[in-house]
Every structure is written in structure tokens, then in C-alpha cells.
Amino acid sequence: MSVLIYAESAEGKFKKVALELASYAKKVADALGTTVTAVTVNASDVNELGKYGVSKVLKVSNDKLNIFNAKAYADVIKQAAVKEGAKVIVLSSSTDSLYAAPAVAVALEAGFASNVIALPESTSPFVVKRNGFSNKAFNFTEIATDVKVIALAKNSYGLVESEVAVAIEDFVPALNDADFSLKVEGVEKVSGKVTIADADIVVSGGRGMKGPENWGMIEELADVLGAALACSKPVSDVGWRSHEEHVGQTGKPVAANLYIAVGISGAIQHIAGVNSSKVKVVINTDPEAPFFKVADYGIVGDAFQVLPELIEKLKEFKAKNA
């Protein structure tokens, strides 16, 4: 009857979202008077989950699962839930998990709520708070089914240590050819950079940078902050930057602790896609730019003057606090 989480990993290491899920699920489990079980796929040191409240790990090792496949992963999670008799299954709102979560819910005949941003308002009835209308509003959703599947919005709960002893069990789900009917021909990965999905800080540039030849300042600021690089849709559309860096409602969603927008006016689709970030800083020459209306901090100024000074100050601060 434990609360089950799918703990995402990459190259054997847990992503931050996995630890956030564990923290969240521990609190839910406490409210339900039960414990947390995690199912992992090709992860290495699963003991790390115990630091955040996971009492049991179902460890799956299968080379066929080295590349994410929503159908196969959903079947793994479903079988783990049935094995544990889990009534609450928690996944993240990452791209991969949002592909798998609905399939898990269908397989378990469970109600599904995505973009959950807080602990349940109540457990009987089971009511969760969710983002709605592109993060412009909240809604409260009751899941009335016996089994419940929820997807926790990134960076909505945080990491909370609650160390417990971990029991590790090798788990071999029964997978068949139908689970791998979708064939992945190849995966392109960017190495040596902080990814947008995992970044606590994101630095994003827009058309105000005037051209790709000026992106060195954006890259230097990101390097000083240990941030991921991003851009607005018009920038990727004209080929200044890769579409891989395009963020916003029509690109990759951002829910970072700090989002810095440089030379981005703030189209509604862009703002909707980054609005879940905790702190938003905007640098723009136009004091009437829409982005200033939702910014936590704003600098009205020329990026070509502001960024060099900002980078220098940050370097000085880091040197003094090293």
C-alpha cells in the first residue's frame, strides 16, 4: 500500500526531479500512514533515495530500457504499482514522465492529474492543487478513483531530507515485443553543458542581442552562474541559436529557481512557458516591454552595457566567496 514514485535517472545518476519526487511522496505517505517505494531503471547508487524518504527501491536493470520508451516505461511502472499495491503513483512533469504518466493511468484505470504544485489539500477525498491556464490560475482537482496518478510540477516542492533505511529489491518486469513497438533510431545529446530541464538557473537571450555574433556575453554570463543557455522562439526561428535552446509555451518549459531574460520583450507564449520560475530577471531597453509586468527584478538598459558590468560583479563576488 506504499506510495510509488518513478525516480528518473540519466546515465545511472538520479535527476534532481527524482529527489524532489521522493521528498514530496514521503510527506504524502506520512499523511496516508504508509511508506514510499521507488521504481528505478538502470540507476546506479539507489541508496541516495533513502536520504529523501524512500524506504524501498525496486531496481530494474534492462539494457533495452537504456533509451526512454514511453510504452515500455509505463508498463514497468504499472507492474511495480500492482506488485506493491500502490494506490498513489507519483511521477514528475518532465517531458519523459508526461509521456508515460497517462499510459500508466490507463493501465491502472486510475484518475490522473498533471502539473500538481502542492501537497494534497486533503486525502479523503483526494484533492490536489494544480496550475491551470498556462500558469495564470490554480485549480483544485478531486481524484475519485481507487488508484491515483499525479505528476508533480518541477521545482514546486523542493528537496527535503528525511533519511530512512532503504531495502533494495531487484525487479524484473515482464516486458514483451509490444512494449518496444516504437523504435528509436538514435538520440542526440549535448555534452558538457547544463541542460534546461535540470538547470536551477537559466540565461535566455532574444532578438535584442542583434545577432548570433553577440552571444558570447550570454554564454559568459551562463558560465559564471553555472546556468543553462536558452533563447526565444524568434531567435531559433532565424537560426541564431539551436531549436534545442528555444524555451516558452511553444518550446521547452522552464521552472528554474532563477530565469534571466536578456533582450526578450515577452510575448505571451514565452512568458507562459517560463512563468513557473521562482525569480525572473529582465534586461531590456524598452521600459514598456511586457516582460517587466511579470518580472521580479527588471533592468532598463542596453544589454551590451549591462551584461559586461553584471558579469564583472559576479566574478568579483565569486572570487571573494570562493
Side-chain angles (χ1 to χ4, degrees):
M1 294 293 290
S2 60
V3 173
L4 179 75
I5 68 168
Y6 161 51
E8 288 188 51
S9 59
E11 298 177 351
K13 296 181 180 180
F14 288 117
K15 297 181 180 180
K16 180 184 173 183
V17 292
L19 308 181
E20 184 173 20
L21 279 193
S23 303
Y24 177 88
K26 178 64 168 70
K27 199 69 176 178
V28 175
D30 287 346
L32 295 172
T34 185
T35 56
V36 181
T37 297
V39 57
T40 68
V41 177
N42 296 337
S44 299
D45 185 11
V46 298
N47 286 290
E48 183 181 10
L49 294 173
K51 187 176 179 180
Y52 298 92
V54 174
S55 301
K56 181 178 181 181
V57 174
L58 299 179
K59 187 177 180 180
V60 177
S61 299
N62 187 330
D63 288 343
K64 286 186 176 181
L65 298 171
N66 280 336
I67 296 176
F68 177 80
N69 178 313
K71 187 175 178 63
Y73 273 58
D75 201 3
V76 169
I77 298 165
K78 174 249 184 180
Q79 291 183 48
V82 171
K83 178 183 182 302
E84 294 299 303
K87 298 298 183 182
V88 178
I89 297 94
V90 188
L91 295 89
S92 77
S93 287
S94 71
T95 302
D96 285 353
S97 285
L98 283 179
Y99 276 121
V104 173
V106 169
L108 294 172
E109 298 184 350
F112 171 51
S114 61
N115 295 318
V116 173
I117 58 172
L119 292 167
E121 295 289 308
S122 65
T123 56
S124 184
F126 198 91
V127 178
V128 290
K129 184 179 181 181
R130 306 167 61 208
N131 273 331
F133 299 105
S134 299
N135 301 323
K136 295 184 182 68
F138 303 126
N139 68 69
F140 294 90
T141 299
E142 178 182 343
I143 307 177
T145 51
D146 182 43
V147 180
K148 302 155 183 68
V149 177
I150 62 178
L152 182 68
K154 181 192 170 189
N155 215 17
S156 59
Y157 188 73
L159 306 185
V160 181
E161 293 187 14
S162 182
E163 192 157 1
V164 296
V166 186
I168 301 171
E169 179 182 326
D170 289 329
F171 178 49
V172 184
L175 301 176
N176 53 47
D177 291 341
D179 287 311
F180 299 95
S181 56
L182 177 66
K183 302 295 182 184
V184 179
E185 295 295 332
V187 177
E188 293 183 8
K189 292 184 178 181
V190 177
S191 60
K193 294 183 180 179
V194 181
T195 64
I196 292 169
D198 298 324
D200 286 326
I201 304 173
V202 175
V203 177
S204 189
R207 284 179 295 184
M209 294 307 296
K210 299 181 181 178
E213 67 278 3
N214 297 318
W215 228 259
M217 287 186 290
I218 299 288
E219 293 173 336
E220 188 175 5
L221 178 60
D223 184 59
V224 170
L225 292 171
L229 284 168
C231 68
S232 62
K233 185 176 186 296
V235 165
S236 62
D237 283 348
V238 297
W240 291 1
R241 302 296 294 181
S242 165
H243 283 285
E244 185 71 17
E245 295 180 6
H246 164 207
V247 297
Q249 194 172 32
T250 55
K252 292 183 176 180
V254 174
N257 286 326
L258 173 61
Y259 180 75
I260 302 176
V262 185
I264 300 175
S265 61
I268 189 169
Q269 294 89 347
H270 187 91
I271 292 174
V274 304
N275 210 31
S276 292
S277 297
K278 302 289 187 185
V279 177
K280 293 175 284 295
V281 177
V282 175
I283 301 171
N284 203 295
T285 55
D286 180 9
E288 301 301 320
F291 223 143
F292 281 120
K293 295 179 181 178
V294 298
D296 297 285
Y297 300 95
I299 300 173
V300 178
D302 187 340
F304 296 93
Q305 296 176 356
V306 173
L307 288 186
E309 292 185 26
L310 177 60
I311 291 167
E312 189 59 35
K313 292 294 184 183
L314 287 169
K315 287 181 176 178
E316 289 177 8
F317 177 82
K318 289 183 71 175
K320 290 178 181 179
N321 294 274

